[in-house]
Amino acid sequence: MDLTEEQVSALRGWIDAGATLGEVQGRLKEEFELSITYLDTRFLLADLGIELAEDEDEGSPEPASADGSTPPQ
């Protein structure tokens, strides 16, 4: 998919502002009339070298205590 410089700039701005993948997909449809799937939105970001901000709760390892064990939850 070819995007204009204006569209790429807007896309980067949305991501910098903390937009989720679903929000990016919706805004592409609303603002630029580009209807693409969730997966294609992910591929588009990857092709452009744009990374989403990671959710702090997802995939972050538990901090280890001084003795190297993880704290109980």
Side-chain angles (χ1 to χ4, degrees), residues 3-63:
L3 298 178
T4 66
E5 288 298 318
E6 174 191 354
Q7 292 169 326
V8 172
S9 178
L11 189 69
R12 289 183 193 280
W14 301 336
I15 297 299
D16 290 344
T20 65
L21 194 59
E23 291 169 342
V24 169
Q25 179 188 17
R27 290 185 78 172
L28 284 170
K29 184 172 184 166
E30 290 173 14
E31 296 186 26
F32 299 117
E33 297 179 3
L34 297 173
S35 182
I36 62 175
T37 66
Y38 188 86
L39 185 59
D40 285 338
T41 304
R42 180 175 289 279
F43 288 148
L44 175 63
L45 293 178
D47 288 346
L48 294 172
I50 302 173
E51 294 184 22
L52 290 169
E54 291 185 28
D55 187 3
E56 291 180 15
D57 294 335
E58 284 186 31
S60 60
E62 291 293 324

